[in-house]
Structures are given as C-alpha cells and as structure tokens.
Amino acid sequence: MAVTPRTLARWKQENRPIVALTATDYAFARVLDGAGIDLILVGDSLAMVALGHTTTLPLTLDDMIHHAKAVCRGVTRALVVVDLPFLSYQTDSAQAIASAGRILKETGAAAVKLEGGYPRLIETVTRLVEIGIPVMGHVGLTPQSIHQTGYRQQGQDPAAEAKILAEAIALQDAGVFCLVLEHISSDLTHKISQRITIPTIGIGAGLQCDGQILVTHDLLGFSERQPPFAKVYADLQATIAAAAREYMTDVFADAKTSHPILPDVES
Ligand code: KIV
C-alpha cells in the first residue's frame, strides 16, 4: 500500500514511528523505497550533496523537477515530498501555486515542502491546501535563510523559541499534514509536540518527534560537512574509492603495461 499523508496521521495515532530519508535520483530512490523507507524527500539539500553548491539557494524549480522525476520513477510505496526551492514560493500565493502545481503535474510526487512560518507564508499554505496540494512544513533551522541564521541550533533564547512554537501552531492551523523540526533543542521539540497534533519529523531535534529524517548522503558517509546530529551508518565514500582503485589495478594488470606502478591519487 502506498504511503499517503493520511497514513502518516494514522501512524501517529498508533504510535508507529515514521522513517524518512532524502533521495536525489532514481537509483537511490529505488533502493530506499525497496528497503521500506516511508517518506522520501527530494530535499533542496541536493544542491549541496548532488550538485556541489555550498548552499541550497542556487537551486531552481527546473532543477528540482528534474531530480524529482527521477526519484518518482524509482518509488512505488513511499510518500514522495519535494522541496519548493528558494524564491519559487516566497513572492506570493500565485507563485507558490504555480510552482507546487508544476511539481505535482510534472513529477508524480504527492506533496511539497516549504520552509518557515511567517504570516504571509501562512496565507500561502492556506491557499495551497485549499486547492488540494498537500504541504509539509519545516521550522527551526531553515537552510534557505542560512545567511541570516548560520548552520546552528535555532530557538536558543525565549523569544526565538516562542517564534518557532508560534510558527508550528500557525502551520498546523493552515493545514500542513506534517512538520519537519530541524536543529532545535529536544526541550523545544517537546513543547511543540504538546501543542500540535499533526505528525512531526525531526532532524537534529531530539527523540520526541513522531518520525526522523536524515539526508541520505550524510547517513552514507558522503558529506563534506557532516552535521553534528547525523550518524554515519556506512562509509560509502571509502567503499566507492576502494572499488575504483581495484578497478584501476585490474585495468593496469590486464593491459600488461610497461608502466611499472599504478599511479597514486595525485598523478
Ligand atoms: O533539504 C533537505 O534535505 C531537508 C531535510 C534536511 C529535512 O529539508
């Protein structure tokens, strides 16, 4: 059975944790879906992990659609959610509807995610939900605002904490089906969990969430800047490098080259 926003709401009632990861392409998506991951996010972190940018800001809507199409081709069960990239939704509701509409129509994904909870965005979420587009919220550390916030834990003073709590409540009231809580204290996560009834999915936000999400490249040891809260479950970077070296060794051996040694990585 395909996972839907309603499935997530039911699992929250049943106390069944939601397990989410990001994917950027068909191959990863197919493996993660086959492994039973419930929610696959085509996150705008792909700007860094797949495209080599230093922030999420350069990513375009066309970039996201290109990657999301590939991810959707690899998924049969998981709920696929696609990030609305920077400046594809912040201008006004009409821009957000056009961008989210393109994502749903062109990729086959079932939902979009956007960052923040300031008043004009709440209006936008209301409009998107009204016309039938499932929206996932995202508060706490919101990387599209990185030049204001830096990559550090958010909500560290009472005013900042109250703002994040208010955003979470406003997003719920506007109709988001689920909320990502990124890099906030477990104490604040606890306060949010006591005030809202929609499922929460945490990343560096403690264990009081209804589910957890990680960037798959962090989980697999690929990342150049590993977040402090992301456990490395496999060192694929080393595995791939070793396989490439073994292949080089074979090519040199098979070629019966007069070149006496395998070049080292610098040559
Ligand atoms: O872009 C992304 O990968 C995300 C996750 C960190 C939740 O938004």
Side-chain angles (χ1 to χ4, degrees):
M1 284 285 280
V3 179
T4 69
R6 287 159 60 102
T7 319
L8 303 189
R10 177 163 54 79
W11 284 343
K12 179 179 167 83
Q13 296 307 316
E14 294 168 356
N15 215 14
R16 188 279 203 192
I18 300 158
V19 189
L21 281 174
T22 62
T24 61
D25 64 18
Y26 169 78
F28 271 51
R30 195 172 65 83
V31 172
L32 299 179
D33 190 52
I37 294 299
D38 303 314
L39 185 152
I40 295 183
L41 173 69
V42 188
D44 60 0
S45 57
L46 77 80
M48 283 101 92
V49 300
L51 301 180
H53 294 297
T54 52
T55 70
T56 59
L57 305 190
L59 203 70
T60 66
L61 183 60
D62 285 337
D63 291 334
M64 283 308 278
I65 289 175
H66 177 75
H67 284 268
K69 279 179 177 171
V71 167
C72 287
R73 282 182 214 119
V75 174
T76 55
R77 174 186 169 272
L79 174 63
V80 179
V81 181
V82 179
D83 262 341
L84 282 162
F86 181 58
L87 290 192
S88 72
Y89 63 97
Q90 287 95 339
T91 308
D92 54 33
S93 304
Q95 186 202 29
I97 291 168
S99 301
R102 274 196 67 195
I103 288 175
L104 264 58
K105 281 162 86 90
E106 295 178 35
T107 70
V112 296
K113 175 164 83 58
L114 41 70
E115 295 185 4
Y118 48 90
R120 289 199 57 193
L121 187 69
I122 296 300
E123 265 175 57
T124 293
V125 171
T126 307
R127 289 283 291 122
L128 288 168
V129 174
E130 246 171 29
I131 63 171
I133 298 179
V135 180
M136 190 175 189
H138 181 159
V139 297
L141 178 65
T142 49
Q144 291 178 14
S145 312
I146 207 64
H147 294 311
Q148 276 181 337
T149 61
Y151 284 107
R152 55 195 162 74
Q153 193 181 70
Q154 299 298 298
Q156 291 196 19
D157 60 67
E161 196 182 88
K163 182 167 176 283
I164 294 171
L165 180 58
E167 286 177 347
I169 295 168
L171 283 163
Q172 165 172 273
D173 293 347
V176 300
F177 67 91
C178 184
L179 188 60
V180 170
L181 306 178
E182 179 165 354
H183 212 359
I184 57 174
S185 69
S186 45
D187 193 40
L188 177 53
T189 297
H190 179 64
K191 288 182 184 147
I192 294 172
S193 303
Q194 285 184 318
R195 294 291 301 278
I196 66 174
T197 55
I198 53 170
T200 54
I201 301 196
I203 173 163
L207 302 177
Q208 298 257 354
C209 303
D210 303 300
Q212 296 289 333
I213 184 163
L214 282 178
V215 173
T216 298
H217 286 67
D218 295 340
L219 175 108
L220 297 178
F222 268 117
S223 295
E224 287 160 287
R225 181 174 40 200
Q226 186 73 11
F229 48 77
K231 177 173 163 186
V232 179
Y233 285 81
D235 187 356
L236 242 57
Q237 187 164 307
T239 306
I240 292 171
R245 291 298 288 180
E246 195 180 330
Y247 168 61
M248 283 180 75
T249 309
D250 284 351
V251 172
F252 266 65
D254 292 347
K256 302 189 176 38
T257 175
S258 56
H259 196 297
I261 46 159
L262 188 67
D264 63 25
V265 264
E266 282 81 41
S267 47

